[in-house]
Amino acid sequence: MNKFIALTKILLKTNNYLNLKDSKDMKKTYFLSFIILITVTPIFYGLLQLTMSFYEKLSSVDQYGLVLSLSFSSLSLLMFFSSIIAVMSVLYFSMDISSLLPLPYSPKALIASKFIVMLFFQYIIECFTLLPILIGFGIKNGITFYYLFYSLISLITLPMIPLSAASIIVMIIIGFTNMHKNKDQFKIVGGLFAIGISIGIYLFIQDDLGSIQSLSAIENIIALGNHSLVNLSSTLFPTTNLLTFALLNESLIENLYLLSKVMFYNLVTFIAFIVIGQLSYFKGVLGISESASKNKRISQRKMSSLSKELPIQISYMLKEVRVIIRTPAYLLNCVLGNFLWIVIIVMPYFTTDQISEQIKQVSQVFKILNTNHLLVFSAILIVFLSSTFNSIVQTSISREGTGFTVNKYLPIRYRHQIQGKILSGMFFAGINIIIIIPLLIIFFKVPIFLILVFIVTSFFSVLFISFSGLLIDLYNPKLDWSREQSAVKQNINVMIAFIPVILVSGLIVLLSFIFNLTFYMLIILIITIFIFFDTLLYQLLMHQGLKLYEKVY
Amino acid sequence: MITIQNVSKSYNGHVKAVDGLSLTINPGEVFGFLGPNGAGKTTTIKMITGITKPDQGVIHINGKNMQKNPVLAKKEFGFVPDNPNVFLRLKGIEYLNFMAETYGVDKDLRIKRIQELSERFSMTKAISDQINSYSHGMRQKIVIIGVLLHSPNVWILDEPMTGLDPKASHILKEMMKEHTAKNKSVFFSTHVLEVAEKICDRVAIINQGKVLYVGSVKDIKEKSQENKDLESIFLELTKNE
């Protein structure tokens, strides 16, 4: 037991969750904490208000318990999906595995320690997701000692079942299949599998809700009052409704019964996790870092084609792009997410027999709204948002990790390295633009002039995201990580990079409302604003940014 | 040629990692940089290669000032770091092409050099694979090939023998000698005193950021009254520190 505690302590200490601490510069730590605070506060406050408003609306039909059960079940689902990729990273592909395996730990001790590390991360997330919901609900429903007690129990126990379930699935897949022989491929397949499961379950839930025959059936359930809808909301994770009723009930005995059931379910899944881990973890994790090689001589012709002379910025960009595409954590988080919307939008056209009819209908809908403009505007927004969310430039320094030193001794001007990093972000945005153009032309018959408007506006907006994101990452790069996932996921810079995006978007929306602008005036305004900020940020990047680049490491 | 003049570096404002260090690595010599762990070897190499800036002092590589003209100075040397885990997701050939691009090696010359060097280090079949799949020694070899593509005048190698098999280690030692025979310089840090004794024209022994001795191995042995080997002299020089 002592060994297990020691290991857990070390793992928790070495896991720099959000990259907030800077032992050399306390001012930086305070500043970043302040930034976190102003970023998280609106989310916290928004959820609190939302909970209270839903409570009010649902209390009129005596169904306010639904607020809790829906929150619990959707958060559990979210925890489950995010855990699948996290479990793969933490249990199997983190860099500390090779140092831990030679130590005399049983599989169960290793996985239990790592489980606690993941659990802590979920608790951090809960602080600004579940906590405001519980506070909002408490304010409306009354905060009693029992409410506080069961809120605490909810906060502690809610992530345990989703995390255990995700771990069990991953351990079974890796432990009992041979897929992991190529770990990179497995990571990609596993990630896609996780996305597949999430879509499957989503469809299943949709279908489940659809199976309720008529609106009157739902009306009947609502009419029963007394939180009868809670039972309908979700039964995927057994403890969600138990916790809801524990928080709603005032009967001590009934609550003790509910509590014991919650504990029972948690214990059973955790034991299952430990038992399966004990049986399968070593089978999967041993040899996981091996990767296959072809060991084949390169032909003269291929050598010649590979040895093209390119400007150094392009060479640097290609290096960045190759690393992103070949690193599963980056591919899943930065690239696949970037293109997921295409699947969502385009898929319906290919899954139905009446493709042309569908397109016609969609086109008509947009014609009624009288606008190709709306389409172009949406396309710009898609490129803008995917570049914001893909975090390619925003984590381009952090992703280098301790290998950043290489940039320091190579004879490439820092200015060129920075330009190469910007270009890597532009590369992926460019692919987005290239995919969208034929969709706009073929499906929606958008005129060429508007396509040009789309390209130009997207270009300047992506530059804005790239410049501001890179400056943020340069200010506080997260270089000390033990798994690649941390560089792109558990990186505060990703969150901070939203701030300039939100501010500039707010400015555009505000100006367009004040001046009641037409489409073309709006586009001119957007381009002007972005050119203005792009010029400003580029100057900043090439002066302050270069100084920061010099100071990294 | 490397000249280091009165260079100092301290961390956290008070701990001096390197203290007033001055060294000259002449053309045509293999220079060994020796010292116990934490002596300041890595910090010195970081300053020579432009990874960190000295608090004071000047470093020139072939007459190019590292602080004033870092890019020009960096083009003068090839650096092999102690950790060869760089660009693991790139294929060997992609890494080599990137390095050739970085050092401005034209297409024909780069193909010739890649073939020559990968042949010499028995890496011709491996360069089509991702570096991730290489052993430690192979990673070391690909890094060495990468920095030699532009035939730099100065080689800077941080613990270059670590992980190399006897054959590769022998080849590297041979190459160091060939390199200095052309009146070029090699600066390398090592813990393996036998290697230093065998191939270095001169050595410097550093401890607690200060140079304790600079000279040829022969001189140091002559100065030692009992004509000890380099290891005994090293231990004696660094024992009270």
Side-chain angles (χ1 to χ4, degrees):
Chain A
M1 195 62 185
N2 282 345
K3 266 162 63 177
F4 164 71
I5 293 169
L7 176 63
T8 311
K9 264 191 194 167
I10 288 292
L11 290 180
L12 285 172
K13 271 190 182 170
T14 50
N15 214 310
N16 180 9
Y17 287 108
L18 290 172
N19 196 31
L20 270 178
K21 256 190 189 168
D22 188 332
S23 53
K24 286 182 204 155
D25 189 352
M26 279 313 283
K27 267 189 211 162
K28 200 173 179 180
T29 307
Y30 293 136
F31 175 69
L32 289 169
S33 306
F34 173 71
I35 291 283
I36 283 266
L37 200 70
I38 57 165
T39 319
V40 166
T41 306
I43 302 172
F44 193 96
Y45 184 73
L47 274 172
L48 191 99
Q49 286 296 329
L50 202 68
T51 307
M52 293 202 291
S53 111
F54 271 123
Y55 180 97
E56 276 168 19
K57 282 182 182 124
L58 288 167
S59 61
S60 59
V61 282
D62 200 20
Q63 295 289 353
Y64 55 86
L66 197 62
V67 177
L68 288 180
S69 72
L70 278 180
S71 306
F72 286 151
S73 52
S74 47
L75 280 175
S76 299
L77 210 60
L78 210 69
M79 285 168 181
F80 173 70
F81 296 134
S82 64
S83 296
I84 285 191
I85 294 177
V87 167
M88 289 196 288
S89 304
V90 176
L91 286 188
Y92 291 94
F93 302 117
S94 72
M95 288 175 186
D96 59 7
I97 291 290
S98 54
S99 330
L100 292 174
L101 282 177
L103 300 176
Y105 284 107
S106 64
K108 63 180 178 201
L110 280 177
I111 58 164
S113 296
K114 293 213 155 218
F115 183 88
I116 289 172
V117 172
M118 292 186 281
L119 198 60
F120 258 77
F121 185 67
Q122 293 295 350
Y123 289 151
I124 293 174
I125 303 291
E126 271 190 342
C127 287
F128 48 93
T129 51
L130 186 58
L131 191 62
I133 294 170
L134 288 170
I135 293 175
F137 193 89
I139 290 171
K140 285 285 164 188
N141 203 38
I143 298 175
T144 61
F145 170 74
Y146 290 113
Y147 183 79
L148 285 177
F149 176 71
Y150 287 110
S151 293
L152 192 65
I153 296 287
S154 308
L155 283 164
I156 294 170
T157 59
L158 195 72
M160 289 187 70
I161 292 180
L163 192 55
S164 304
S167 307
I168 289 170
I169 291 175
V170 171
M171 286 193 302
I172 289 174
I173 295 172
I174 304 189
F176 297 111
T177 64
N178 289 323
M179 285 162 80
H180 69 267
K181 274 188 180 157
N182 187 330
K183 68 166 186 166
D184 285 357
Q185 260 172 30
F186 175 78
K187 275 186 175 178
I188 295 162
V189 171
L192 291 173
F193 181 69
I195 294 166
I197 295 179
S198 63
I199 294 170
I201 293 178
Y202 174 71
L203 292 175
F204 170 77
I205 292 167
Q206 291 277 73
D207 200 40
D208 204 34
L209 286 176
S211 68
I212 299 163
Q213 292 298 315
S214 63
L215 208 62
S216 64
I218 297 177
E219 277 169 4
N220 286 338
I221 297 170
I222 294 172
L224 289 173
N226 198 22
H227 315 294
S228 50
L229 271 179
V230 168
N231 287 320
L232 196 75
S233 67
S234 174
T235 49
L236 197 66
F237 296 101
T239 56
T240 53
N241 287 352
L242 295 173
L243 289 169
T244 306
F245 285 119
L247 283 160
L248 292 171
N249 276 343
E250 277 158 21
S251 152
L252 188 64
I253 295 166
E254 203 175 319
N255 272 356
L256 279 176
Y257 170 68
L258 290 170
L259 185 64
S260 59
K261 270 178 103 175
V262 169
M263 292 305 165
F264 173 76
Y265 282 123
N266 275 304
L267 207 65
V268 167
T269 33
F270 186 70
I271 290 171
F273 161 72
I274 293 291
V275 170
I276 291 169
Q278 181 72 20
L279 290 173
S280 68
Y281 181 58
F282 274 1
K283 276 186 195 161
V285 78
L286 296 177
I288 200 102
S289 58
E290 293 161 5
S291 51
S293 61
K294 287 186 208 134
N295 212 17
K296 222 172 123 188
R297 192 183 281 264
I298 297 177
S299 69
Q300 192 70 27
R301 214 170 133 195
K302 195 162 183 207
M303 177 84 89
S304 179
S305 73
L306 281 167
S307 307
K308 277 181 199 139
E309 285 177 62
L310 298 162
I312 192 65
Q313 292 95 327
I314 304 288
S315 267
Y316 199 89
M317 176 204 79
L318 284 177
K319 186 264 297 179
E320 293 277 307
V321 169
R322 282 180 179 134
V323 172
I324 290 170
I325 292 174
R326 296 206 187 127
T327 310
Y330 303 156
L331 183 73
L332 289 171
N333 290 298
C334 303
V335 184
L336 281 185
N338 197 38
F339 300 126
L340 208 62
W341 61 268
I342 300 174
V343 182
I344 295 164
I345 293 171
V346 177
M347 272 304 274
Y349 294 113
F350 297 100
T351 50
T352 171
D353 295 335
Q354 304 143 319
I355 298 170
S356 56
E357 194 54 36
Q358 289 261 344
I359 297 166
K360 221 181 261 172
Q361 276 176 11
V362 175
S363 298
Q364 269 170 4
V365 169
F366 283 112
K367 260 198 189 124
I368 292 163
L369 289 170
N370 188 24
T371 188
N372 278 326
H373 300 156
L374 186 69
L375 272 172
V376 171
F377 203 73
S378 314
I380 294 167
L381 204 65
I382 285 171
V383 175
F384 186 64
L385 289 179
S386 29
S387 290
T388 305
F389 283 98
N390 70 19
S391 309
I392 287 172
V393 184
Q394 298 91 315
T395 59
S396 57
I397 307 289
S398 299
R399 284 198 311 267
E400 303 244 12
T402 47
F404 188 85
T405 42
V406 179
N407 293 309
K408 288 298 190 73
Y409 64 76
L410 290 179
I412 308 174
R413 292 182 191 286
Y414 295 155
R415 160 189 305 268
H416 293 159
Q417 296 186 25
I418 286 177
Q419 287 163 347
K421 287 180 186 298
I422 300 283
L423 283 174
S424 66
M426 300 304 287
F427 175 86
F428 287 102
I431 294 180
N432 266 350
I433 293 173
I434 288 168
I435 295 172
I436 292 173
I437 291 172
L439 293 180
L440 288 178
I441 296 175
I442 298 164
F443 291 146
F444 302 106
K445 313 267 183 291
V446 173
I448 297 295
F449 174 70
L450 284 177
I451 299 289
L452 283 174
V453 167
F454 160 61
I455 295 171
V456 172
T457 319
S458 300
F459 174 77
F460 287 114
S461 72
V462 174
L463 273 186
F464 173 80
I465 296 162
S466 305
F467 292 163
S468 57
L470 188 54
L471 271 168
I472 288 162
D473 203 29
L474 273 169
Y475 179 71
N476 181 42
K478 182 177 183 172
L479 299 167
D480 191 15
W481 40 259
S482 61
R483 54 180 193 278
E484 288 136 342
Q485 176 96 351
S486 323
V488 286
K489 272 286 174 191
Q490 292 164 15
N491 190 346
I492 190 68
N493 298 346
V494 173
M495 207 192 272
I496 297 174
F498 286 150
I499 297 175
V501 172
I502 293 167
L503 290 178
V504 81
S505 310
L507 179 70
I508 291 167
V509 172
L510 190 75
L511 289 175
S512 66
F513 272 111
I514 291 175
F515 298 110
N516 197 18
L517 300 174
T518 62
F519 173 76
Y520 285 106
M521 284 162 73
L522 184 63
I523 288 292
I524 290 167
L525 174 81
I526 293 173
I527 292 176
T528 314
I529 286 179
F530 278 128
I531 289 179
F532 172 75
F533 283 115
D534 289 350
T535 317
L536 204 72
L537 287 171
Y538 188 73
Q539 290 305 318
L540 203 62
L541 202 54
M542 288 302 145
H543 291 96
Q544 287 308 107
L546 281 176
K547 282 183 192 159
L548 289 170
Y549 203 93
E550 230 171 75
K551 279 184 193 161
V552 179
Y553 255 97
Chain B
M1 181 175 180
I2 305 173
T3 50
I4 304 167
Q5 291 164 291
N6 196 28
V7 163
S8 295
K9 176 82 185 173
S10 58
Y11 292 113
N12 300 328
H14 50 88
V15 184
K16 279 212 164 177
V18 174
D19 192 1
L21 186 124
S22 293
L23 282 176
T24 303
I25 290 89
N26 299 311
E29 73 174 357
V30 178
F31 191 95
F33 199 45
L34 318 174
N37 295 331
K41 293 194 301 290
T42 303
T43 306
T44 306
I45 288 179
K46 277 185 174 175
M47 289 189 288
I48 298 174
T49 53
I51 294 171
T52 47
K53 272 188 176 174
D55 297 336
Q56 67 169 62
V58 191
I59 297 167
H60 286 92
I61 316 278
N62 271 353
K64 313 276 186 327
N65 187 314
M66 178 53 82
Q67 288 99 309
K68 287 185 180 158
N69 295 307
V71 176
L72 284 180
K74 287 172 192 177
K75 281 194 173 166
E76 292 296 323
F77 65 79
F79 172 51
V80 179
D82 58 342
N83 176 9
N85 298 328
V86 292
F87 303 125
L88 296 181
R89 303 283 175 187
L90 296 187
K91 290 178 182 170
I93 185 70
E94 289 168 350
Y95 168 72
L96 296 178
N97 270 310
F98 173 69
M99 292 302 275
E101 209 69 74
T102 300
Y103 288 101
V105 183
D106 70 49
K107 188 180 169 178
D108 294 336
L109 184 62
R110 98 169 58 156
I111 293 175
K112 192 174 152 249
R113 295 283 293 161
I114 290 174
Q115 281 170 339
E116 248 173 45
L117 289 164
S118 54
E119 200 83 52
R120 197 153 183 193
F121 281 100
S122 313
M123 289 286 285
T124 41
K125 284 182 179 172
I127 56 172
S128 59
D129 292 320
Q130 265 189 48
I131 299 175
N132 220 1
S133 67
Y134 294 0
S135 67
H136 181 88
M138 287 164 83
R139 289 177 189 182
Q140 192 84 351
K141 286 183 198 174
I142 200 81
V143 171
I144 294 171
I145 296 173
V147 297
L148 299 188
L149 285 176
H150 68 297
S151 313
N153 279 320
V154 176
W155 292 3
I156 301 168
L157 313 145
D158 194 2
E159 297 287 349
M161 307 300 174
T162 315
L164 289 185
D165 58 40
K167 190 184 165 197
S169 174
H170 174 74
I171 291 168
L172 186 63
K173 281 185 255 174
E174 287 293 305
M175 287 176 74
M176 284 184 186
K177 282 182 192 161
E178 286 168 25
H179 189 65
T180 49
K182 293 178 206 157
N183 209 28
K184 294 172 177 179
S185 343
V186 174
F187 176 89
F188 82 105
S189 75
T190 184
H191 282 116
V192 190
L193 298 176
E194 289 86 354
V195 174
E197 200 163 359
K198 247 185 191 172
I199 62 167
C200 290
D201 299 300
R202 284 197 308 148
V203 294
I205 299 174
I206 178 177
N207 199 14
Q208 295 192 342
K210 286 186 176 167
V211 172
L212 303 178
Y213 174 80
V214 190
S216 68
V217 177
K218 199 178 145 202
D219 279 354
I220 197 174
K221 279 185 171 178
E222 276 173 8
K223 276 181 193 165
S224 160
Q225 290 164 347
E226 296 159 40
N227 204 14
K228 295 172 182 168
D229 62 6
L230 186 59
E231 186 178 19
S232 313
I233 297 164
F234 175 86
L235 291 172
E236 203 173 295
L237 276 172
T238 56
K239 73 178 174 188
N240 294 323
E241 304 293 333

